Structures are given as C-alpha cells and as structure tokens.
Amino acid sequence: MVVKISKHDAPVNECRELATLLTQHTDGKGNGLHKTAIDKLEFMRESSISTSLHSDNKLDLCIVVQGKKEALLGEKLYRYSVAQYIVVSVELPITGFVVEATPDKPYLGFKLNLDPAQLYEIIIAQTQLSRRKPENSVKGFFVSNADKSLIDCAIRLTKLLDTPQDIPFLAPIILREIYYRLLMGEQGEALRQIAIPGSNMQRIAETIKLIKVDFTKPIGVEQLAKHVSMSTSSFYHHFKKVTSMSPLQYQKQLRLLEARRLMLTENFDAANSAYEVGYQSPSQFSREYSQRFGAPPIKDVERLRTT
C-alpha cells in the first residue's frame, strides 16, 4: 500500500534557501548524516539513489529539503519530497529509500532529534491543554506538509552555524519555537502522547524496548500487556494503532532487517543469518524475506551491493 501526501502551498522559496545552506555545510563531506555544532541537529546528504538498511529512530523530525524519499513500514510505503516532513515518535523498523538524487542536485534532509522533556514543558505551559481531550492512540510515524513558519525556524537555526558564538543563547530559543510549531501542527497529538508520562504511546514505546532486548526469542503478548498494565485486547489495539503492525509482525520486521544486515555487512549466508535472528526454518525465512524485500535473500543482497 502506497501512502502519498498531497502538497498544499509548499514554501518553495524557503526550501531553496534552506537547501543552499545545507549544501554549504555538507559540500565535500560525502554522503550520509553529518553532525553540526548544534546538539541533536544533523544534515543528510545523498548524491545518488540509495537504501538505508534500518532506520531505528526514536523521536526525530526529518524535513526533506531537496530530492525525494520513501519509507517502508510494514506493508505501507510512504512517499515524501521537498517541504514535507516526518516525525518518528517511537522506535520503528523502517527501511528508507532515497529515490531522487544526483551529484549535481543531491538529496538533502534536515534532521533534528527531539527532546520529550522539552516538549512536555511546552505542553504544560499551553493553557488550552488543561482541558485535555480523551486520549486516542495515533500513529508513531506519518508524513505532513511543512508550512512556511516551520521552514523559517529551520533556516534560522541553520544560519546560527555561521555565528557559533550565538548558538548557546539563540539555539534553545529557536528549538523551542520548532517544538511549538510541531505541537500546533497535525502531528501534535503524537508528540503530546510520547511526551506525557503514562500515555498509551509511552506504554507502547516501553513494550517496544522489551521486544528489542532479544527479538530472536518468542514473545508473549499477554506478558507485554501485563507489563504495562493493559488488557491484552487493549494492548494489541494500541500497539497496532501506533506501529501499524501487530507485536508479532513488529518482531518479524526486526528479525528480517537484522538478517539482511548480517548478510550484507558481515557476509553471513542466508541459512546462518536466519538461525541467528531466531528462525528455525530456512524455507520460512526465505519466503518471508521475499515478501518483505521483493526478492530472495541472495538476489536482494546482490542488488544492494551493486547499487
């Protein structure tokens, strides 16, 4: 299933200005993520079409500044491009693809790791939130259109890199404005839920950590639900709402992504990688791998090595 968000009044000129700034700060540094002098701010640059094996974000804002990207989460393929952004509010087994990039016009992304504590400070300061609506679980990942005010914040924050003496005083102010803009936007509810202690999303995030501790072993949905004081049916419902998959499907995605990494970066063969991540049947592993990545293990890895 392809999820594509239509654009409305995209701030094109502002994105061009931000693209110029990111180009200046990433030229000559190669592809990949580049740290900056501002804590938690990174720039992404890719000069060709590429695939990231495993994007395991916690709480990130990612704005596409130039080029196009896709993200595969479970059975849903999300497509997003210039002036669109994603917020990843829980740890998810996402595979990312840069689908539009050239050496002359690389893919450029603005990436900011968000602080739940700072988000919570703004939440409790907003008087209208004292009349909170009933909590309904929302997705931990989706695509939105960035408005001019959010891009303007990103521009001002990036420009501080040219005056490092201003960063300690001005960066926290601009970051606070970014948090405010996000909370007032269409992804605000997801950010509120991950920042507010005891929310359903926080409880699901806690069970995700338990699954990841050893995803090679069988998991018990009843035990996970009990750990966060939820009924099994309620836990299952909220988990699927937040992650777009069931707990068992989540675990399977982790296994397949890790097996793919083992084959590509550590030269494991298909059988050994299958056993390493918890599969008992190589044929089942091959079948599920093909369903996930569109090709059997050997062919998929060969394709990745030649791209």
Side-chain angles (χ1 to χ4, degrees):
M1 177 181 176
V2 177
V3 180
K4 188 175 181 180
I5 308 300
S6 60
K7 292 185 178 181
H8 302 284
D9 301 322
V12 176
N13 292 333
E14 288 77 10
C15 279
R16 286 175 182 162
E17 182 180 356
L18 185 55
T20 299
L21 294 171
L22 266 62
T23 298
Q24 293 171 357
H25 289 287
T26 59
D27 262 348
K29 296 182 179 180
N31 294 326
L33 278 173
H34 302 285
K35 293 184 179 298
T36 73
I38 298 174
D39 186 35
K40 299 182 180 180
L41 175 63
E42 297 177 305
F43 300 143
M44 177 177 284
R45 182 186 179 112
E46 292 291 341
S47 59
S48 61
I49 295 173
S50 66
T51 300
S52 62
L53 287 182
H54 191 185
S55 179
D56 197 12
N57 302 298
K58 293 185 178 179
L59 183 55
D60 290 327
L61 162 69
C62 302
I63 305 174
V64 178
V65 179
Q66 185 169 278
K68 294 181 180 179
K69 196 170 184 181
E70 295 179 348
L72 183 64
L73 176 61
E75 298 179 351
K76 293 183 179 180
L77 182 66
Y78 294 83
R79 291 177 176 169
Y80 48 109
S81 58
V82 175
Q84 293 185 310
Y85 71 95
I86 62 170
V87 172
V88 185
S89 50
V90 295
E91 297 181 71
L92 295 170
I94 302 167
T95 304
F97 312 87
V98 172
V99 296
E100 184 180 285
T102 65
D104 293 334
K105 195 173 182 179
Y107 169 86
L108 297 171
F110 176 99
K111 180 174 179 289
L112 185 64
N113 180 241
L114 305 176
D115 184 348
Q118 292 187 32
L119 282 167
Y120 188 55
E121 288 179 6
I122 298 174
I123 290 169
I124 60 177
Q126 290 178 295
T127 56
Q128 66 267 34
L129 291 180
S130 62
R131 300 183 298 275
R132 287 181 58 193
K133 298 177 181 178
E135 181 186 344
N136 294 310
S137 290
V138 295
K139 290 185 292 184
F141 174 99
F142 55 91
V143 180
S144 297
N145 293 306
D147 60 19
K148 183 176 178 180
S149 60
L150 181 60
I151 300 298
D152 178 62
C153 288
I155 290 171
R156 286 185 281 117
L157 188 65
T158 302
K159 282 184 175 180
L160 287 181
L161 296 173
D162 295 326
T163 56
Q165 69 276 12
D166 296 332
I167 291 175
F169 183 78
L170 294 179
I173 297 173
I174 300 173
L175 286 171
R176 187 175 178 85
E177 183 179 351
I178 289 175
Y179 288 176
Y180 172 79
R181 298 293 179 190
L182 292 173
L183 285 166
M184 297 305 292
E186 63 180 4
Q187 299 204 39
E189 184 58 29
L191 288 167
R192 289 185 185 93
Q193 289 192 23
I194 199 61
I196 294 174
S199 68
N200 287 330
M201 186 173 283
Q202 274 211 355
R203 289 193 279 178
I204 296 303
E206 186 176 342
T207 63
I208 285 173
K209 292 179 181 178
L210 292 177
I211 294 173
K212 291 186 65 182
V213 167
D214 193 350
F215 56 81
T216 66
K217 295 180 179 178
I219 60 173
V221 175
E222 295 82 4
Q223 287 75 20
L224 290 173
K226 184 177 180 180
H227 181 79
V228 291
S229 302
M230 299 175 77
S231 69
T232 301
S233 60
S234 177
F235 168 72
Y236 188 91
H237 167 77
H238 290 298
F239 192 100
K240 195 164 186 178
K241 187 71 174 179
V242 170
T243 67
S244 299
M245 63 190 81
S246 70
L248 292 177
Q249 289 171 329
Y250 185 99
Q251 182 193 47
K252 182 171 74 173
Q253 297 299 314
L254 292 179
R255 287 178 170 182
L256 293 172
L257 285 165
E258 175 61 9
R260 196 186 204 197
R261 186 194 69 80
L262 290 172
M263 288 185 287
L264 187 63
T265 65
E266 300 189 26
N267 295 317
F268 275 55
D269 60 29
N272 284 332
S273 64
Y275 288 123
E276 186 72 16
V277 300
Y279 277 89
Q280 300 301 314
S281 168
S283 61
Q284 180 187 1
F285 167 71
S286 181
R287 180 173 64 255
E288 293 184 353
Y289 190 101
S290 297
Q291 291 172 348
R292 176 64 171 82
F293 299 115
I298 294 176
K299 288 186 177 181
D300 177 60
V301 171
E302 287 177 349
R303 177 180 58 82
L304 288 172
R305 285 175 174 158
T306 57
T307 57

